[in-house]
């Protein structure tokens, strides 16, 4: 959800520069089931435009309508939305609507935390009532213990009878693409729609530029002999798509110095045994855990043929691995989708 908050903050800055007030709507509690879970947010500007979503699209109009009073009196409030009779979701959403004014200092801290890939904590103070007003609001805490609120009227240190929804925002999921051909561009585009932070490594002799990979965070030219990876053990996937067996092997040997959770390698199934055998020649003490984290050929077997479809199959496999889910059709599921 970190990438959704990034989009909200980006738009809030633009609105403030235009002289428009902002309010932030956050789902802080849920009874039953719903399309999205607590922690989702949407930004509403004074001209009633919005960014983000807290549902599949039905709740947003109601939130925008009921947020109008916050623009007038700057008082945060709680609302509820009963989807059992409107959405068929069998759930009641509790939504905090609060004034949203961000300072330059907050923006600097937020940017610094994201560049360092640090977690961010958000505590939202609320009550489980409809159309309720009070000392409600959110406080953001960064790793350096610096804290920020979005409204001068909210005093989070005041001990009152409220509930607190705590959310720990992890850094954006990171995808490292090793390769610079057409299919790597397609994978970059697809992964970018999920809000992933994408770093691309191309051949040093044929390096590409950032403009060649829409949605990428960085593009560099390097080689397996000189590349140095940092912080790839958690919240990171790596996909190798060099279209060169020798280069692929060299990169896997390099990655054996680390323990990433997912290494996908593009290529035919008959390359897998050869790759593993030659890998042991270079790294005899290779662990079973490292081998288990290699997925080659990369992607789920969904009949993908085009570069775009192959990209979808790879992204789907990465999600299934990091979420620890065995892929199957949801029509075979009974009960809740998200346990």
């Amino acid at each position: 959800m970190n990438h959704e908050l990034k989009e909200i903050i980006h738009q809030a800055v633009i609105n403030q520069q235009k002289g428009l007030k902002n309010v932030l709507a956050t789902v802080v509690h849920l009874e039953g089931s719903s399309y999205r879970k607590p922690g989702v947010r949407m930004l509403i500007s004074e001209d009633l435009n919005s960014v983000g979503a807290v549902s599949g699209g039905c709740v947003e109009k109601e939130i925008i309508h009921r947020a109008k009073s916050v623009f007038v009196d700057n008082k945060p409030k709680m609302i509820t939305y009963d989807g059992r009779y409107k959405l068929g979701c069998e759930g009641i959403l509790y939504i905090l609507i609060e004034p949203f004014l961000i300072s330059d200092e907050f923006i600097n801290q937020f940017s610094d935390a994201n560049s360092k890939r640090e977690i961010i904590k958000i505590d939202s103070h609320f009550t489980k009532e409809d159309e309720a007003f009070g000392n409600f609001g959110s406080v953001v805490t960064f790793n350096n213990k610096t804290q920020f609120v979005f409204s001068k009227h909210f005093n989070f240190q005041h001990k009152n009878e409220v509930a607190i929804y705590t959310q720990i925002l992890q850094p954006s999921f990171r995808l490292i693409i090793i390769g610079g051909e057409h299919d790597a561009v397609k994978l970059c585009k697809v992964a970018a729609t999920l809000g992933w932070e994408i770093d691309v490594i191309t051949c040093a002799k044929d390096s590409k530029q950032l403009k060649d990979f829409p949605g990428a965070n960085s593009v560099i030219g390097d080689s397996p002999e000189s590349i140095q990876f940092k912080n790839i053990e958690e919240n990171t996937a790596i996909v190798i798509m060099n279209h060169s067996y020798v280069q692929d092997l060299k990169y896997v040997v390099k990655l054996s110095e680390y323990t990433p959770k997912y290494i996908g390698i593009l290529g035919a199934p008959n390359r897998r045994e050869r790759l593993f055998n030659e890998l042991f020649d270079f790294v005899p003490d290779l662990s079973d855990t490292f081998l288990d984290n290699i997925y080659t050929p990369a992607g789920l077997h969904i009949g993908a043929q085009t570069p775009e479809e192959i990209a979808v199959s790879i992204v789907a496999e990465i999600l299934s691995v990091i979420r620890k889910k065995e892929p199957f059709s949801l029509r075979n599921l009974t009960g809740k989708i998200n346990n």
Side-chain angles (χ1 to χ4, degrees):
M1 293 182 184
N2 184 289
H3 71 280
E4 294 177 331
L5 185 58
K6 286 181 184 178
E7 292 176 0
I8 284 174
I9 290 173
H10 175 73
Q11 187 60 48
V13 171
I14 293 174
N15 294 341
Q16 287 181 192
Q17 291 171 345
K18 293 179 179 178
L20 294 171
K21 290 182 180 179
N22 295 298
V23 300
L24 183 68
T26 306
V27 176
V28 291
H29 186 70
L30 169 66
E31 292 179 0
S33 63
S34 181
Y35 183 79
R36 302 278 320 258
K37 304 304 177 187
V40 295
R41 299 175 175 83
M42 65 180 289
L43 178 78
I44 307 161
S45 56
E46 201 171 6
D47 57 5
L48 303 185
N49 287 314
S50 64
V51 169
V54 299
S55 75
C58 300
V59 184
E60 284 71 15
K61 290 181 181 178
E62 177 78 7
I63 294 175
I64 291 172
H65 174 69
R66 298 181 68 178
K68 292 177 182 177
S69 68
V70 183
F71 289 113
V72 175
D73 57 23
N74 291 314
K75 293 181 179 179
K77 70 177 187 179
M78 282 296 303
I79 67 170
T80 63
Y81 189 93
D82 194 338
R84 295 175 297 178
Y85 306 109
K86 302 173 184 177
L87 300 178
C89 292
E90 301 180 357
I92 303 174
L93 296 173
Y94 292 82
I95 303 162
L96 167 65
I97 305 178
E98 60 184 308
F100 191 64
L101 179 64
I102 51 179
S103 64
D104 291 340
E105 186 180 358
F106 171 82
I107 295 169
N108 291 336
Q109 286 279 352
F110 184 75
S111 299
D112 186 59
N114 279 290
S115 65
K116 294 178 180 178
R117 297 186 60 76
E118 296 175 345
I119 63 170
I120 299 171
K121 179 185 175 186
I122 304 179
D123 292 311
S124 296
H125 297 229
F126 70 100
T127 185
K128 288 191 282 186
E129 298 177 44
D130 186 35
E131 202 64 24
F133 297 84
N135 186 38
F136 310 139
S138 300
V139 53
V140 181
T141 305
F142 293 99
N143 262 14
N144 60 7
K145 307 303 180 184
T146 305
Q147 294 183 305
F148 293 88
V149 296
F150 303 124
S151 170
K152 62 182 180 181
H153 301 292
F154 171 51
N155 181 7
F156 67 93
Q157 295 177 328
H158 178 66
K159 304 299 182 182
N160 53 353
E161 299 274 336
V162 297
I164 300 177
Y165 169 70
T166 298
Q167 182 180 32
I168 303 298
L169 284 178
Q170 298 292 335
S172 297
F173 187 79
R174 185 184 182 200
L175 173 64
I176 299 176
I177 300 174
I178 302 177
E181 301 304 325
H182 178 66
D183 51 0
V185 176
K186 297 300 182 183
L187 177 59
C188 183
K189 285 184 177 180
V190 171
T193 64
L194 278 66
W196 291 1
E197 184 178 297
I198 306 163
D199 296 314
V200 181
I201 302 170
T202 66
C203 176
K205 296 179 181 178
D206 184 28
S207 60
K208 301 292 199 311
Q209 298 179 17
L210 192 60
K211 65 180 179 62
D212 298 319
F213 289 85
N217 174 63
S218 70
V219 177
I220 62 170
D222 215 323
S223 68
E225 291 81 12
S226 61
I227 188 73
Q228 293 295 321
F229 295 104
K230 293 181 180 179
N231 303 321
I232 63 171
E233 283 77 12
E234 298 292 336
N235 213 28
T236 300
I238 300 164
V239 178
I240 303 173
M241 43 202 324
N242 285 303
H243 298 280
S244 165
Y245 174 81
V246 173
Q247 287 296 101
D248 290 353
L249 177 61
K250 287 181 178 180
Y251 268 109
V252 178
V253 171
K254 182 67 178 183
L255 287 167
S256 67
E257 302 172 12
Y258 310 86
T259 54
K261 295 294 188 292
Y262 178 96
I263 302 172
I265 308 172
L266 209 64
N270 57 17
R271 289 202 326 170
R272 180 172 50 233
E273 187 174 350
R274 178 189 172 192
L275 178 76
F276 283 6
N277 288 335
E278 295 190 19
L279 191 55
F280 276 108
D281 291 337
F282 288 97
V283 192
D285 57 347
L286 208 58
S287 70
D288 290 340
T289 300
F290 181 79
L291 290 175
D292 288 342
N293 292 341
I294 297 177
Y295 294 79
T296 180
L300 296 180
H301 188 21
I302 58 174
Q305 296 179 354
T306 67
E308 292 84 355
E309 292 172 350
I310 292 170
V312 170
S313 76
I314 293 173
V315 167
E317 181 177 58
I318 292 171
L319 283 173
S320 72
V321 171
I322 63 175
R323 303 276 169 84
K324 299 179 180 179
K325 296 290 185 180
E326 190 67 31
F328 63 88
S329 175
L330 288 176
R331 73 176 183 175
N332 298 323
L333 181 70
T334 56
K336 295 181 179 180
I337 294 176
N338 296 304
N339 294 321

